[in-house]
Amino acid sequence: MQNGWFKLYRDLLEKPLWVQSTPEQKTVLITLLSMANHQEKEWEWKGTSYKVAPGQFVTSLESIAEKCGKGISIQNVRTALKRFEKYEFLTNESTNKNRLVTIVNWGFYQGNSDDLTNQLTGNQQAVNKQLTTNKNEKKDKNEKNNNTSCPKQAYDENSSFYKLSFLFFEKIKMNNPAFKEPNFQKWSNDIRLMIERDNRTPEQIKYLINWCQNDNFWKSNILSPAKLRKQFDQLIIRVKSESENKKSGLTLIKTPISNPDLSSDEIRKMKKLAESVPL
């Protein structure tokens, strides 16, 4: 077992790699940094002796999950490794027994401070100039990232956000085969906002996706997660009202909740009715 400590730069907290990661993926990321070797070490790899460099380590999915602790599954680890590879944070080579993980640019972030200084310049004045330049470059890069609403490959295809986005697209295509393929990263981000900011559940979102694409009115008006998010409360009221009317044997007139022909008293009654019917 390795002793000592490792560096964790605050700059990491502003990168899409961290910002767009799930709590499980963040746990895996920190665990990987703690597992990486700080100096050359000899391991067995592919049946032969292998010297791993700083930033590398030989491990397994089971071992990573175990070190992450309670609540992290092997599938969580597998998904995180795949996502981190897309961000070029690490490389991951596996066999049927174990895998070799390499943290990219380990020397820059975790290397010896003296070594880093020597690489930058031979005198203190040049060091200060270079560090100032690097700081400004990082600031520009962070501003660019903040202004980008949808970082490239921010959402893995195996994430629940992406899967719900793809389901939405498939349902729309069933009604309109000519519907163009959307930006799934942007759609996934809107799904994430519904779950994390609006406290919607994936089950609710999935239900409304199916429901609105089967409704004669809403299927032509709800054509993106952003529009679904905007109309979410109205759709819930409509679904609950429809459910209540089916129970009472009545036929619900397909009129949007926002229709100006409905009086405020009628809308208030529908909201009261919605509160008494479970989704």
Side-chain angles (χ1 to χ4, degrees):
M1 180 178 179
Q2 299 189 72
N3 296 318
W5 50 272
F6 64 92
K7 301 174 185 177
L8 184 61
Y9 282 78
R10 290 189 179 92
D11 184 52
L12 174 65
L13 305 181
E14 300 177 3
K15 294 183 179 297
L17 173 69
W18 178 270
V19 174
Q20 301 296 344
S21 287
T22 65
E24 292 81 8
Q25 290 168 349
K26 291 175 180 177
T27 299
V28 174
L29 189 152
I30 299 300
T31 301
L32 293 174
L33 288 175
S34 72
M35 293 175 69
N37 291 297
H38 283 253
Q39 57 187 4
E40 189 177 272
K41 187 174 181 180
E42 190 169 306
W43 291 76
E44 181 180 334
W45 173 244
K46 294 184 177 180
T48 60
S49 177
Y50 180 83
K51 289 185 178 181
V52 295
Q56 290 184 315
F57 58 102
V58 177
T59 186
S60 64
L61 294 176
E62 292 80 3
S63 179
I64 297 174
E66 181 180 354
K67 289 184 180 296
C68 285
K70 186 177 180 180
I72 304 299
S73 66
I74 292 177
Q75 182 57 46
N76 290 147
V77 174
R78 183 181 289 108
T79 300
L81 289 176
K82 182 179 178 181
R83 182 169 184 274
F84 297 158
E85 279 190 282
K86 291 181 178 179
Y87 273 99
E88 297 183 351
F89 174 76
L90 56 77
T91 61
N92 173 37
E93 183 181 355
S94 63
T95 67
N96 59 344
K97 290 184 178 180
N98 48 28
R99 62 186 59 232
L100 174 65
V101 176
T102 302
I103 306 297
V104 179
N105 293 326
W106 172 267
F108 180 80
Y109 291 104
Q110 298 294 326
N112 182 276
S113 298
D114 294 334
D115 293 340
L116 178 58
T117 301
N118 292 334
Q119 291 175 13
L120 292 176
T121 184
N123 59 74
Q124 190 60 44
Q125 183 178 4
V127 171
N128 293 335
K129 181 178 180 180
Q130 183 65 48
L131 291 178
T132 300
T133 301
N134 289 345
K135 183 177 180 181
N136 291 333
E137 288 177 350
K138 288 182 179 179
K139 182 179 179 181
D140 293 340
K141 185 176 181 181
N142 289 335
E143 289 178 350
K144 182 178 179 180
N145 288 336
N146 291 335
N147 291 331
T148 303
S149 60
C150 187
K152 184 179 180 180
Q153 297 296 338
Y155 299 95
D156 189 89
E157 293 181 3
N158 293 321
S159 69
S160 59
F161 309 131
Y162 195 101
K163 288 181 178 179
L164 285 170
S165 297
F166 192 77
L167 171 66
F168 204 164
F169 173 64
E170 287 187 316
K171 293 297 180 180
I172 294 175
K173 287 277 287 185
M174 291 176 66
N175 292 323
N176 179 15
F179 190 83
K180 294 183 179 180
E181 183 172 310
N183 182 335
F184 284 113
Q185 293 298 312
K186 183 179 185 305
W187 277 30
S188 297
N189 189 59
D190 290 328
I191 294 291
R192 179 186 63 81
L193 292 175
M194 279 190 274
I195 294 175
E196 295 182 358
R197 292 190 182 180
D198 303 341
N199 295 318
R200 314 298 189 184
T201 68
E203 291 75 18
Q204 286 179 317
I205 295 173
K206 182 178 180 180
Y207 184 94
L208 285 185
I209 287 174
N210 286 298
W211 184 89
C212 72
Q213 290 306 308
N214 285 322
D215 184 271
N216 289 332
F217 174 81
W218 292 109
K219 69 181 180 183
S220 60
N221 288 277
I222 306 294
L223 297 175
S224 69
K227 193 63 177 290
L228 178 66
R229 185 186 183 200
K230 181 179 180 180
Q231 301 291 345
F232 204 98
D233 289 327
Q234 292 192 23
L235 292 174
I236 287 181
I237 293 174
R238 173 61 60 181
V239 170
K240 291 180 177 180
S241 299
E242 192 173 77
S243 176
E244 181 64 16
N245 278 278
K246 286 181 180 179
K247 291 179 181 179
S248 62
L250 299 176
T251 300
L252 182 67
I253 299 175
K254 300 290 185 178
T255 306
I257 300 299
S258 57
N259 192 307
D261 293 333
L262 289 176
S263 66
S264 58
D265 184 61
E266 288 175 319
I267 294 177
R268 186 165 54 254
K269 288 181 179 179
M270 292 183 73
K271 289 183 177 179
K272 185 177 181 180
L273 176 62
E275 294 175 353
S276 65
V277 182
L279 179 58

mmCIF file of all heavy atoms in Angstrom, residues 41-67:
data_model
loop_
_atom_site.group_PDB
_atom_site.id
_atom_site.type_symbol
_atom_site.label_atom_id
_atom_site.label_comp_id
_atom_site.label_asym_id
_atom_site.label_seq_id
_atom_site.Cartn_x
_atom_site.Cartn_y
_atom_site.Cartn_z
ATOM 1 N N LYS A 41 7.931 1.425 -10.435
ATOM 2 C CA LYS A 41 7.674 0.242 -9.623
ATOM 3 C C LYS A 41 7.499 -0.967 -10.534
ATOM 4 O O LYS A 41 7.019 -0.844 -11.658
ATOM 5 C CB LYS A 41 6.415 0.451 -8.777
ATOM 6 C CG LYS A 41 6.137 -0.644 -7.769
ATOM 7 C CD LYS A 41 4.948 -0.267 -6.881
ATOM 8 C CE LYS A 41 4.677 -1.341 -5.837
ATOM 9 N NZ LYS A 41 3.534 -0.977 -4.979
ATOM 10 N N GLU A 42 7.874 -2.115 -10.052
ATOM 11 C CA GLU A 42 7.799 -3.321 -10.869
ATOM 12 C C GLU A 42 6.521 -4.103 -10.566
ATOM 13 O O GLU A 42 6.176 -4.368 -9.417
ATOM 14 C CB GLU A 42 9.017 -4.212 -10.608
ATOM 15 C CG GLU A 42 9.143 -5.374 -11.589
ATOM 16 C CD GLU A 42 10.489 -6.074 -11.481
ATOM 17 O OE1 GLU A 42 11.529 -5.385 -11.573
ATOM 18 O OE2 GLU A 42 10.488 -7.301 -11.291
ATOM 19 N N TRP A 43 5.778 -4.441 -11.638
ATOM 20 C CA TRP A 43 4.539 -5.203 -11.533
ATOM 21 C C TRP A 43 4.594 -6.361 -12.536
ATOM 22 O O TRP A 43 5.464 -6.398 -13.414
ATOM 23 C CB TRP A 43 3.325 -4.331 -11.892
ATOM 24 C CG TRP A 43 3.011 -3.262 -10.904
ATOM 25 C CD1 TRP A 43 3.666 -2.086 -10.729
ATOM 26 C CD2 TRP A 43 1.936 -3.257 -9.970
ATOM 27 N NE1 TRP A 43 3.082 -1.345 -9.760
ATOM 28 C CE2 TRP A 43 2.007 -2.032 -9.263
ATOM 29 C CE3 TRP A 43 0.910 -4.149 -9.653
ATOM 30 C CZ2 TRP A 43 1.107 -1.685 -8.268
ATOM 31 C CZ3 TRP A 43 0.006 -3.804 -8.670
ATOM 32 C CH2 TRP A 43 0.105 -2.591 -7.984
ATOM 33 N N GLU A 44 3.633 -7.229 -12.412
ATOM 34 C CA GLU A 44 3.473 -8.270 -13.420
ATOM 35 C C GLU A 44 2.382 -7.824 -14.384
ATOM 36 O O GLU A 44 1.268 -7.497 -13.975
ATOM 37 C CB GLU A 44 3.081 -9.610 -12.790
ATOM 38 C CG GLU A 44 2.920 -10.725 -13.827
ATOM 39 C CD GLU A 44 2.531 -12.065 -13.205
ATOM 40 O OE1 GLU A 44 2.851 -12.274 -12.034
ATOM 41 O OE2 GLU A 44 1.881 -12.866 -13.901
ATOM 42 N N TRP A 45 2.704 -7.804 -15.660
ATOM 43 C CA TRP A 45 1.753 -7.356 -16.683
ATOM 44 C C TRP A 45 1.850 -8.281 -17.884
ATOM 45 O O TRP A 45 2.918 -8.502 -18.432
ATOM 46 C CB TRP A 45 2.053 -5.911 -17.090
ATOM 47 C CG TRP A 45 1.260 -5.382 -18.241
ATOM 48 C CD1 TRP A 45 1.724 -4.995 -19.459
ATOM 49 C CD2 TRP A 45 -0.161 -5.190 -18.296
ATOM 50 N NE1 TRP A 45 0.701 -4.569 -20.260
ATOM 51 C CE2 TRP A 45 -0.465 -4.674 -19.572
ATOM 52 C CE3 TRP A 45 -1.195 -5.409 -17.385
ATOM 53 C CZ2 TRP A 45 -1.759 -4.379 -19.967
ATOM 54 C CZ3 TRP A 45 -2.487 -5.105 -17.786
ATOM 55 C CH2 TRP A 45 -2.766 -4.601 -19.051
ATOM 56 N N LYS A 46 0.733 -8.848 -18.274
ATOM 57 C CA LYS A 46 0.658 -9.796 -19.380
ATOM 58 C C LYS A 46 1.597 -10.991 -19.177
ATOM 59 O O LYS A 46 2.228 -11.496 -20.105
ATOM 60 C CB LYS A 46 0.970 -9.104 -20.714
ATOM 61 C CG LYS A 46 -0.067 -8.057 -21.117
ATOM 62 C CD LYS A 46 0.241 -7.476 -22.481
ATOM 63 C CE LYS A 46 -0.847 -6.476 -22.892
ATOM 64 N NZ LYS A 46 -0.581 -5.876 -24.222
ATOM 65 N N GLY A 47 1.708 -11.403 -17.925
ATOM 66 C CA GLY A 47 2.480 -12.586 -17.609
ATOM 67 C C GLY A 47 3.963 -12.383 -17.449
ATOM 68 O O GLY A 47 4.701 -13.334 -17.169
ATOM 69 N N THR A 48 4.442 -11.156 -17.613
ATOM 70 C CA THR A 48 5.874 -10.889 -17.481
ATOM 71 C C THR A 48 6.106 -9.691 -16.568
ATOM 72 O O THR A 48 5.185 -8.923 -16.277
ATOM 73 C CB THR A 48 6.508 -10.590 -18.862
ATOM 74 O OG1 THR A 48 5.859 -9.429 -19.428
ATOM 75 C CG2 THR A 48 6.332 -11.768 -19.803
ATOM 76 N N SER A 49 7.356 -9.552 -16.127
ATOM 77 C CA SER A 49 7.717 -8.430 -15.268
ATOM 78 C C SER A 49 7.627 -7.133 -16.063
ATOM 79 O O SER A 49 8.064 -7.055 -17.211
ATOM 80 C CB SER A 49 9.135 -8.622 -14.732
ATOM 81 O OG SER A 49 9.522 -7.511 -13.949
ATOM 82 N N TYR A 50 7.046 -6.109 -15.450
ATOM 83 C CA TYR A 50 6.834 -4.838 -16.149
ATOM 84 C C TYR A 50 7.097 -3.694 -15.179
ATOM 85 O O TYR A 50 6.594 -3.685 -14.050
ATOM 86 C CB TYR A 50 5.406 -4.759 -16.683
ATOM 87 C CG TYR A 50 5.079 -3.480 -17.425
ATOM 88 C CD1 TYR A 50 5.410 -3.321 -18.760
ATOM 89 C CD2 TYR A 50 4.443 -2.425 -16.767
ATOM 90 C CE1 TYR A 50 5.117 -2.144 -19.430
ATOM 91 C CE2 TYR A 50 4.139 -1.252 -17.432
ATOM 92 C CZ TYR A 50 4.485 -1.118 -18.773
ATOM 93 O OH TYR A 50 4.186 0.056 -19.433
ATOM 94 N N LYS A 51 7.900 -2.735 -15.591
ATOM 95 C CA LYS A 51 8.181 -1.565 -14.777
ATOM 96 C C LYS A 51 7.223 -0.441 -15.151
ATOM 97 O O LYS A 51 7.271 0.082 -16.262
ATOM 98 C CB LYS A 51 9.634 -1.110 -14.967
ATOM 99 C CG LYS A 51 10.653 -2.045 -14.338
ATOM 100 C CD LYS A 51 12.058 -1.470 -14.447
ATOM 101 C CE LYS A 51 13.075 -2.383 -13.778
ATOM 102 N NZ LYS A 51 14.445 -1.830 -13.854
ATOM 103 N N VAL A 52 6.363 -0.106 -14.206
ATOM 104 C CA VAL A 52 5.398 0.968 -14.469
ATOM 105 C C VAL A 52 6.016 2.306 -14.081
ATOM 106 O O VAL A 52 6.742 2.409 -13.087
ATOM 107 C CB VAL A 52 4.078 0.748 -13.684
ATOM 108 C CG1 VAL A 52 3.384 -0.487 -14.160
ATOM 109 C CG2 VAL A 52 4.346 0.657 -12.182
ATOM 110 N N ALA A 53 5.735 3.311 -14.870
ATOM 111 C CA ALA A 53 6.262 4.647 -14.633
ATOM 112 C C ALA A 53 5.372 5.407 -13.668
ATOM 113 O O ALA A 53 4.232 4.994 -13.397
ATOM 114 C CB ALA A 53 6.362 5.386 -15.970
ATOM 115 N N PRO A 54 5.831 6.517 -13.117
ATOM 116 C CA PRO A 54 4.969 7.357 -12.281
ATOM 117 C C PRO A 54 3.703 7.736 -13.043
ATOM 118 O O PRO A 54 3.768 8.128 -14.203
ATOM 119 C CB PRO A 54 5.849 8.577 -11.995
ATOM 120 C CG PRO A 54 7.239 8.043 -12.050
ATOM 121 C CD PRO A 54 7.216 7.040 -13.166
ATOM 122 N N GLY A 55 2.574 7.619 -12.376
ATOM 123 C CA GLY A 55 1.295 7.907 -13.027
ATOM 124 C C GLY A 55 0.637 6.678 -13.595
ATOM 125 O O GLY A 55 -0.507 6.740 -14.050
ATOM 126 N N GLN A 56 1.331 5.527 -13.565
ATOM 127 C CA GLN A 56 0.767 4.267 -14.045
ATOM 128 C C GLN A 56 0.508 3.326 -12.874
ATOM 129 O O GLN A 56 1.117 3.460 -11.810
ATOM 130 C CB GLN A 56 1.724 3.575 -15.017
ATOM 131 C CG GLN A 56 1.897 4.251 -16.356
ATOM 132 C CD GLN A 56 2.787 3.441 -17.278
ATOM 133 O OE1 GLN A 56 3.839 2.945 -16.878
ATOM 134 N NE2 GLN A 56 2.365 3.298 -18.528
ATOM 135 N N PHE A 57 -0.369 2.365 -13.078
ATOM 136 C CA PHE A 57 -0.549 1.297 -12.101
ATOM 137 C C PHE A 57 -1.327 0.158 -12.742
ATOM 138 O O PHE A 57 -2.132 0.366 -13.659
ATOM 139 C CB PHE A 57 -1.255 1.784 -10.835
ATOM 140 C CG PHE A 57 -2.616 2.389 -11.046
ATOM 141 C CD1 PHE A 57 -3.784 1.685 -10.771
ATOM 142 C CD2 PHE A 57 -2.743 3.691 -11.520
ATOM 143 C CE1 PHE A 57 -5.037 2.248 -10.947
ATOM 144 C CE2 PHE A 57 -3.999 4.267 -11.711
ATOM 145 C CZ PHE A 57 -5.141 3.536 -11.422
ATOM 146 N N VAL A 58 -1.049 -1.044 -12.287
ATOM 147 C CA VAL A 58 -1.741 -2.233 -12.759
ATOM 148 C C VAL A 58 -2.803 -2.583 -11.733
ATOM 149 O O VAL A 58 -2.524 -2.669 -10.533
ATOM 150 C CB VAL A 58 -0.763 -3.418 -12.930
ATOM 151 C CG1 VAL A 58 -1.521 -4.673 -13.345
ATOM 152 C CG2 VAL A 58 0.299 -3.086 -13.965
ATOM 153 N N THR A 59 -4.027 -2.776 -12.173
ATOM 154 C CA THR A 59 -5.133 -2.995 -11.244
ATOM 155 C C THR A 59 -6.233 -3.795 -11.928
ATOM 156 O O THR A 59 -6.017 -4.417 -12.966
ATOM 157 C CB THR A 59 -5.680 -1.632 -10.749
ATOM 158 O OG1 THR A 59 -6.666 -1.852 -9.739
ATOM 159 C CG2 THR A 59 -6.286 -0.831 -11.893
ATOM 160 N N SER A 60 -7.428 -3.775 -11.366
ATOM 161 C CA SER A 60 -8.594 -4.441 -11.945
ATOM 162 C C SER A 60 -9.833 -3.631 -11.604
ATOM 163 O O SER A 60 -9.807 -2.784 -10.690
ATOM 164 C CB SER A 60 -8.744 -5.861 -11.389
ATOM 165 O OG SER A 60 -9.007 -5.827 -9.995
ATOM 166 N N LEU A 61 -10.924 -3.883 -12.308
ATOM 167 C CA LEU A 61 -12.171 -3.173 -12.012
ATOM 168 C C LEU A 61 -12.619 -3.438 -10.586
ATOM 169 O O LEU A 61 -13.083 -2.539 -9.877
ATOM 170 C CB LEU A 61 -13.267 -3.614 -12.993
ATOM 171 C CG LEU A 61 -13.066 -3.250 -14.470
ATOM 172 C CD1 LEU A 61 -14.184 -3.845 -15.306
ATOM 173 C CD2 LEU A 61 -13.022 -1.742 -14.655
ATOM 174 N N GLU A 62 -12.454 -4.691 -10.155
ATOM 175 C CA GLU A 62 -12.867 -5.073 -8.804
ATOM 176 C C GLU A 62 -12.060 -4.314 -7.759
ATOM 177 O O GLU A 62 -12.607 -3.850 -6.748
ATOM 178 C CB GLU A 62 -12.713 -6.583 -8.598
ATOM 179 C CG GLU A 62 -13.662 -7.443 -9.410
ATOM 180 C CD GLU A 62 -13.223 -7.622 -10.857
ATOM 181 O OE1 GLU A 62 -12.129 -7.106 -11.216
ATOM 182 O OE2 GLU A 62 -13.964 -8.255 -11.624
ATOM 183 N N SER A 63 -10.757 -4.208 -8.003
ATOM 184 C CA SER A 63 -9.886 -3.525 -7.049
ATOM 185 C C SER A 63 -10.216 -2.041 -6.944
ATOM 186 O O SER A 63 -10.261 -1.470 -5.851
ATOM 187 C CB SER A 63 -8.422 -3.702 -7.461
ATOM 188 O OG SER A 63 -7.563 -3.025 -6.559
ATOM 189 N N ILE A 64 -10.482 -1.409 -8.089
ATOM 190 C CA ILE A 64 -10.827 0.018 -8.079
ATOM 191 C C ILE A 64 -12.140 0.231 -7.330
ATOM 192 O O ILE A 64 -12.258 1.140 -6.498
ATOM 193 C CB ILE A 64 -10.945 0.560 -9.516
ATOM 194 C CG1 ILE A 64 -9.600 0.463 -10.233
ATOM 195 C CG2 ILE A 64 -11.426 2.015 -9.501
ATOM 196 C CD1 ILE A 64 -9.657 0.830 -11.696
ATOM 197 N N ALA A 65 -13.143 -0.609 -7.613
ATOM 198 C CA ALA A 65 -14.448 -0.492 -6.944
ATOM 199 C C ALA A 65 -14.297 -0.677 -5.434
ATOM 200 O O ALA A 65 -14.929 0.036 -4.641
ATOM 201 C CB ALA A 65 -15.418 -1.523 -7.513
ATOM 202 N N GLU A 66 -13.459 -1.630 -5.036
ATOM 203 C CA GLU A 66 -13.243 -1.888 -3.613
ATOM 204 C C GLU A 66 -12.609 -0.686 -2.923
ATOM 205 O O GLU A 66 -13.006 -0.300 -1.830
ATOM 206 C CB GLU A 66 -12.357 -3.117 -3.436
ATOM 207 C CG GLU A 66 -12.102 -3.485 -1.980
ATOM 208 C CD GLU A 66 -11.219 -4.704 -1.833
ATOM 209 O OE1 GLU A 66 -10.879 -5.340 -2.861
ATOM 210 O OE2 GLU A 66 -10.848 -5.024 -0.686
ATOM 211 N N LYS A 67 -11.614 -0.075 -3.577
ATOM 212 C CA LYS A 67 -10.943 1.078 -2.987
ATOM 213 C C LYS A 67 -11.852 2.309 -2.970
ATOM 214 O O LYS A 67 -11.696 3.181 -2.112
ATOM 215 C CB LYS A 67 -9.656 1.387 -3.747
ATOM 216 C CG LYS A 67 -8.549 0.352 -3.520
ATOM 217 C CD LYS A 67 -7.272 0.755 -4.221
ATOM 218 C CE LYS A 67 -6.172 -0.283 -3.991
ATOM 219 N NZ LYS A 67 -5.797 -0.362 -2.571
#
